[in-house]
Amino acid sequence: MAVAVGRPSNEELRNLSLSGHVGFDSLPDQLVNKSTSQGFCFNILCVGETGIGKSTLMDTLFNTKFESDPATHNEPGVRLKARSYELQESNVRLKLTIVDTVGFGDQINKDDSYKPIVEYIDAQFEAYLQEELKIKRSLFNYHDTRIHACLYFIAPTGHSLKSLDLVTMKKLDSKVNIIPIIAKADTIAKNELHKFKSKIMSELVSNGVQIYQFPTDEETVAEINATMSVHLPFAVVGSTEEVKIGNKMAKARQYPWGVVQVENESHCDFVKLREMLIRVNMEDLREQTHARHYELYRRCKLEEMGFKDTDPDSKPFSLQETYEAKRNEFLGELQKKEEEMRQMFVMRVKEKEAELKEAEKELHEKFDLLKRTHQEEKKKVEDKKKELEDEVNNFQKKKAATQLLQSQAQQSGAQQTKKDKDKKNPWLCTE
Amino acid sequence: MDTLKESPSPCSSRHNSPRPAPCEMPATVGIEAVLDQLKIKAMKMGFEFNIMVVGQSGLGKSTMVNTLFKSKVWKSALPGPGVPTPQTLQLHSVSHVIEEKGLKLKLTVTDTPGFGDQINNDKCWEPILGYINEQYEQYLQEEILITRQRHIPDTRVHCCVYFVPPTGHCLRPLDIEFLQRLCQTVNVVPVIARADSLTIEEREAFRSRIQKDLKSHCIDVYPQKRFDEDPNDKILNSKIRERIPFAVVGADQEHVVNGRCVLGRKTNWGIIEVENMAHCEFPLLRDLLIRSHLQDLKDITHNIHYENYRVVRLNESHQLPRGPGWVNLAPVSLASTSAGQVTTSGPSKAHKRAQEEPKYEF
């Protein structure tokens, strides 16, 4: 049965005009309903020195108190601590994961500080890649742990970026969306802040660090993103305490010289950060992570493993062919290893055997020796025994003879004394 | 409230942690805005929908598609008297972009002229199955590339509408064979075609017989019972399942009824209005396919049917119908799987064998 599939080429896609209301404009709502029932995932990585205000800022941003003890400064190395929370706002459920870098910037030698961070990010990509490459996979209810946004906390020195910051950001910019922020911004005066920000941005540009660009290709968000980008890096202040201002309670930090209001745009850029991070670009951050950073990781990883899309003859390579080749290679290696192990085992067994034989021989010899010694001893003892017996016999004979003589002598003597005794004894007579 | 975890840990360990109770907070964070962000992104990217219509010729498939999407999808619905009926089963696809309220939908309709029209219809489902699997294969090939596109073009068939001729009795053997095979691979929505030849009572009796037939042959048509997740879906879907198959009438001509312009078929004894629920169930079909379950159709195709295809393809690639880029792995894979089975339990077996040897030597 012949099958002919007639299909027009892409250029012939014509726009059809509809003569009535079909109803597929409800598609975005259908899509949104599905996503709402599944819930969203969002993972934030906070990189910054100990005590710079990462936990406080997270508390302020999400309006909740995430219980955590402040870290000490004695950590031997950089460690990443991840915590998951479930937040719900009206009917949207968000699985939020906050990853903290504990001990960042505390060591004397900070050469390797960035390594645990890069390893963690790669590990999340790897987990997703493994799930994607599985045969029986369930991607649609996979709990996504890939980092969607990295908030890099810059210390408010007022001068420039530290070299640790530059090195770390350079290592992270191809793996994650970096949003640099100036922490504890209430310690910098307004005029210094402007200089500080431009210094930071120019340093980032001159060092080729690619921070996250807020998307400007969509009319609805282009305007707000463009205006906000000018204020990068955002100078933020975090506070979970509330202070009475006017007749309302607002989040603020109280100083003897005044009150720094967190949500006041003229005091700090917190509101801008919240807008950018959550209200405008959360979905874009997730998409960039998946479409750009993850794809880059996947490409590098697969190429590293030896997969290619086209071989040198520019014939399309099938992933299966490469898989098969690798699998055969792997099986060959396994067999070789098995052979090696078997050889080693046999050799060891032989050695042990030889040893055991040696031991056995020694044992035999010892046994013989012992036996001989034992025989000799026995003989000696026997001889002695005989001697003893002879002596005893002699003694017995002598004794018997002596006794005989004695008893004879005694008998004759005893008879004599008895007669005398009877005569002398008055009692015996009168009785 | 929070689950403490020391990292780096892959996500799988987190599945076992007890889920903390979601905490409500005042709506000042703005998480809700992510829904709008999603919508904007979706509208920008546009949607795709691929539908296939299967049925014997003359059942009104092309007219139905034109009625569904309210436009002339097919240039000519009826073959003229001079056009011979196709001698073999051909699949004919046409793609259009339709726009409504700023939303662009790329619609691809695949028709199957010649289905069930021959004298010997044995294995007439195979070209259709081959086509569907070929679309899955194309998607799979795109997905396993090293450098892959941001948005893989989706040509997989999301929905297959099967037209049952209105005999009024029960499903024919051809119908049962086809439905059984196709329900495993694609979402199938059976409809009673040309329902204007049945009265309401005949229609109901026909429908209940068809439902019984489907049940007795274990044919799971869309919406599939086994994919119902939450109770709301279950209730909604059971209501739909009660009415499947829908009795539909297609028409693309307008007539004036009571002063209104409606789509309908004009006969000597009256005008059958397509959109009138009392006349036929076309609105139900349209609502199911387009207004309420379009995304669901796509999701089930992507998450279940495509995944099933992928599993089978990656495991036993030598048994599936060939598509482009198909690699013959059969002889190599059999040999290597048998070797693989030996060597995967290799180390323990080697030990056992080595342990047995000394006995003989001693």
Side-chain angles (χ1 to χ4, degrees), chain A residues 202-213:
Chain A
S202 61
E203 275 194 339
L204 287 176
V205 165
S206 59
N207 280 287
V209 174
Q210 292 176 0
I211 57 174
Y212 174 67
Q213 301 296 324

Side-chain angles (χ1 to χ4, degrees), chain A residues 212-232 234 265 271-282 284, chain B residues 33 37 40:
Chain A
Y212 174 67
Q213 301 296 324
F214 298 117
T216 44
D217 47 1
E218 231 163 304
E219 321 86 44
T220 34
V221 295
E223 208 188 299
I224 187 169
N225 277 339
T227 41
M228 293 292 188
S229 307
V230 171
H231 294 273
L232 273 176
F234 298 126
E265 294 221 38
V271 174
K272 295 196 181 75
L273 174 68
R274 187 174 59 195
E275 283 288 313
M276 287 291 99
L277 187 63
I278 302 176
R279 289 190 189 167
V280 179
N281 295 310
M282 198 197 279
D284 186 65
Chain B
Q37 297 170 26
I40 295 174

Side-chain angles (χ1 to χ4, degrees), chain A residues 324-382:
Chain A
E324 275 302 307
K326 288 232 164 256
R327 191 204 211 164
N328 288 338
E329 217 181 284
F330 178 69
L331 290 180
E333 266 180 46
L334 262 182
Q335 275 186 328
K336 234 193 323 185
K337 278 213 181 113
E338 190 192 333
E339 270 307 310
E340 270 178 37
M341 272 173 70
R342 202 180 314 156
Q343 297 285 8
M344 216 166 55
F345 193 83
V346 166
M347 214 164 56
R348 282 235 195 104
V349 161
K350 280 208 174 106
E351 277 175 23
K352 214 37 187 247
E353 211 183 86
E355 261 179 58
L356 281 174
K357 274 206 170 126
E358 273 293 318
E360 201 182 333
K361 212 164 34 164
E362 268 179 51
L363 264 173
H364 275 298
E365 281 176 21
K366 235 190 192 170
F367 182 65
D368 286 336
L369 189 66
L370 272 172
K371 202 166 174 186
R372 258 182 283 135
T373 333
H374 173 72
Q375 298 275 38
E376 282 174 24
E377 293 278 321
K378 196 168 173 188
K379 205 157 173 223
K380 275 192 200 154
V381 168
E382 296 257 313

Side-chain angles (χ1 to χ4, degrees), chain B residues 23-133:
Chain B
C23 59
E24 285 276 350
M25 47 189 203
T28 48
V29 177
I31 295 178
E32 260 189 320
V34 75
L35 296 179
D36 294 321
Q37 297 170 26
L38 257 187
K39 265 195 216 169
I40 295 174
K41 264 212 192 304
M43 306 239 335
K44 184 171 149 211
M45 214 162 52
F47 292 87
E48 289 165 319
F49 189 55
N50 309 318
I51 187 173
M52 181 191 264
V53 285
V54 184
Q56 287 178 300
S57 47
L59 281 181
K61 303 190 291 290
S62 319
T63 320
M64 174 57 59
V65 172
N66 287 349
T67 326
L68 262 177
F69 293 100
K70 289 212 167 55
S71 45
K72 287 250 178 288
V73 178
W74 301 103
K75 295 218 182 78
S76 59
L78 296 159
V83 177
T85 49
Q87 290 303 311
T88 53
L89 174 59
Q90 297 173 335
L91 284 113
H92 184 57
S93 263
V94 76
S95 289
H96 296 289
V97 173
I98 43 183
E99 188 177 329
E100 195 171 71
K101 292 201 181 138
L103 185 73
K104 282 197 171 49
L105 177 72
K106 176 164 173 262
L107 176 72
T108 307
V109 183
T110 312
D111 197 1
T112 55
F115 176 81
D117 282 338
Q118 280 74 41
I119 295 176
N120 181 5
N121 285 314
D122 203 16
K123 295 209 193 338
C124 62
W125 48 83
E126 279 190 358
I128 300 179
L129 271 179
Y131 174 80
I132 295 175
N133 283 332

Side-chain angles (χ1 to χ4, degrees), chain A residues 64-83:
Chain A
T64 22
K65 195 104 176 63
F66 300 126
E67 295 295 322
S68 58
D69 323 302
T72 65
H73 287 264
N74 301 331
E75 299 282 337
V78 178
R79 183 165 64 86
L80 279 95
K81 200 151 64 154
R83 290 156 169 213

